[in-house]
Amino acid sequence: MTLFQKLSPMDGDTSTAQDCGRADQVRGLEAFIMLMAGIGLVLLSFAYCSSIAFIAWMMLVGCSCIAYGLHRCIIYAQIRHAERRWRCDGTRVKFVPSWLCETGEILVNSMMALSSLLSLCLAVFSGLDEPGDTRAFWLSLLMTAFCASAWTATPLYRPGAPSFEVSPHGLFLRPAGIRHKFVSWDSSPTFLKYRTIRGVPRVLLATSSETIYFSIGGLPLGCEQLHKLLVFYNNHPELRDELTQQHGLERVRELMYASLNEVEAGLARERAQSANRPTQSHER
């Protein structure tokens, strides 16, 4: 799978589904751009003649960008196998990402913040005597403010804990920090758009009463996959009770790689087989 490949076809779906496919492509593109920018900064730090503080800023921020880009590329590559991350505990179906995704998100953000703080200290201790020191100071200050802002919008997950849950009653999300958010099925949650806010990739979910930003950057879950899940269970409220059973887990996993048309066709076959069973037993 390339960085710009759409993950799965959405036969006969709306323009929202196409937007979801493009959003997944954008996630891969953002990861690639960040990786290339980091490599460029590191190479430039060896070739550019300036103050020690400015060269250190390019080196440290470049390494952080490389780590960020690699982490996002790993997450993007795992989206294609998102069905493996779903679990069922008898009360709901849960999305449990690998420890690499959750721990890596915290480590990469910490590396970015420490790099900006370290280069800021170097610029201050240099006395700002050279033009490069002044550039390093303002760039480091800007980067530190950006990292602080990004931390406030980043959800914190405990390794092994679910990051997204689906129950017969609704969804359990973690918008930012350690806060949890419950969204009822009665409010008809739908995928609205994908957007990077304060450096954190987020999905905007629309309900009948509010709009909710849900962080998806550190999760190997695609916007298109999330959209299919919401559409299917919004259209089939009679099937929500299966989300406490193994059959519901299998259905959610199928939604991760199959199109909505394929899942609907499978559901029609299931219902046709169930309708034929009483007739066959009566004939015997």
Side-chain angles (χ1 to χ4, degrees):
M1 181 179 67
T2 66
L3 285 175
F4 317 112
Q5 178 181 344
K6 193 175 177 182
L7 295 173
S8 64
M10 294 292 297
D11 304 333
D13 207 358
T14 62
S15 60
T16 305
Q18 296 172 358
D19 292 340
C20 293
R22 283 193 291 268
D24 287 326
Q25 294 174 23
V26 168
R27 288 178 68 181
L29 182 60
E30 288 174 345
F32 181 75
I33 289 173
M34 200 60 140
L35 181 60
M36 291 298 102
I39 293 173
L41 279 173
V42 170
L43 293 176
L44 197 60
S45 68
F46 289 106
Y48 191 76
C49 294
S50 185
S51 67
I52 294 175
F54 189 62
I55 291 173
W57 179 86
M58 287 192 291
M59 174 67 77
L60 291 169
V61 173
C63 290
S64 299
C65 288
I66 291 172
Y68 182 95
L70 283 174
H71 180 248
R72 287 282 186 257
C73 286
I74 291 170
I75 288 174
Y76 183 76
Q78 291 183 359
I79 291 176
R80 198 170 184 83
H81 307 290
E83 69 276 4
R84 301 175 184 173
R85 310 312 312 175
W86 288 95
R87 307 284 185 270
C88 182
D89 64 357
T91 60
R92 64 192 68 168
V93 175
K94 304 178 177 182
F95 187 80
V96 184
S98 66
W99 67 270
L100 179 64
C101 296
E102 298 171 322
T103 309
E105 186 77 2
I106 296 172
L107 290 176
V108 166
N109 288 342
S110 300
M111 184 178 177
M112 195 76 81
L114 288 173
S115 295
S116 58
L117 283 172
L118 184 57
S119 55
L120 180 64
C121 292
L122 283 173
V124 171
F125 291 145
S126 67
L128 304 179
D129 295 329
E130 299 181 32
D133 294 337
T134 306
R135 281 197 299 270
F137 173 79
W138 288 111
L139 287 170
S140 301
L141 197 62
L142 213 75
M143 195 76 177
T144 303
F146 174 79
C147 290
S149 177
W151 265 112
T152 62
T154 302
L156 302 177
Y157 302 112
R158 178 173 55 85
S163 56
F164 183 80
E165 304 173 54
V166 190
S167 78
H169 307 291
L171 315 172
F172 294 86
L173 323 168
R174 189 170 289 177
I178 58 173
R179 294 186 297 109
H180 285 83
K181 176 77 175 177
F182 173 74
V183 183
S184 171
W185 286 116
D186 294 335
S187 64
S188 303
T190 56
F191 179 95
L192 193 58
K193 66 174 75 170
Y194 168 86
R195 182 179 295 174
T196 299
I197 300 174
R198 287 183 285 178
V200 180
R202 289 183 164 195
V203 163
L204 179 60
L205 300 181
T207 68
S208 56
S209 58
E210 61 178 335
T211 53
I212 303 161
Y213 277 111
F214 165 56
S215 177
I216 202 172
L219 304 180
L221 179 66
C223 299
E224 190 174 350
Q225 294 165 334
L226 177 60
H227 169 69
K228 288 188 290 183
L229 178 65
L230 295 176
V231 168
F232 184 82
Y233 284 106
N234 273 323
N235 291 342
H236 296 283
E238 75 281 0
L239 296 177
R240 292 172 190 164
D241 287 338
E242 73 179 15
L243 290 169
T244 61
Q245 306 163 11
Q246 183 67 24
H247 187 62
L249 173 61
E250 292 171 0
R251 180 106 58 197
V252 169
R253 284 175 172 171
E254 185 183 6
L255 285 164
M256 297 298 102
Y257 58 82
S259 70
L260 276 174
N261 286 350
E262 291 170 340
V263 178
E264 291 285 359
L267 177 61
R269 286 193 297 270
E270 286 178 22
R271 288 175 171 172
Q273 290 170 1
S274 323
N276 289 335
R277 278 173 198 155
T279 307
Q280 291 171 357
S281 359
H282 182 68
E283 287 174 356
R284 288 176 187 170

